[in-house]
Amino acid sequence: MSFWKRHKKAVNDADEALAAKIQADIELKAVKQTRAQVAEQSDKLREINKQNHFSEGLSRSFRSKPA
């Protein structure tokens, strides 16, 4: 194989590798954004569950005591 053919093949391989890296970086950024959104939603749900649990405890407490 001549030098130019090897050089051209190496350039093509490098371009493909760079394109794959860019694609992987884009996908990683999307995954990180999704994780951040999921974490935020989880925090909100934990807070809502905490409030609901507290409210249910108060309701049970007042229902069980005679007026």
Side-chain angles (χ1 to χ4, degrees), residues 2 9 11 16 27 31-32 34 36-37 40 45 47-48:
S2 73
K9 185 176 184 316
V11 169
E16 288 177 17
E27 291 174 6
V31 167
K32 286 181 177 180
T34 302
Q37 290 171 348
E40 186 178 322
L45 288 175
E47 186 61 34
I48 290 169

Side-chain angles (χ1 to χ4, degrees), residues 5-23:
K5 285 183 182 177
R6 286 194 310 258
H7 178 69
K8 187 174 181 180
K9 185 176 184 316
V11 169
N12 289 344
D13 289 348
D15 289 344
E16 288 177 17
L18 181 59
K21 182 186 180 308
I22 291 169
Q23 183 65 30

Side-chain angles (χ1 to χ4, degrees), residues 23 26 38 49 54 61 64:
Q23 183 65 30
I26 291 169
V38 167
N49 285 338
F54 180 74
S61 171
S64 64

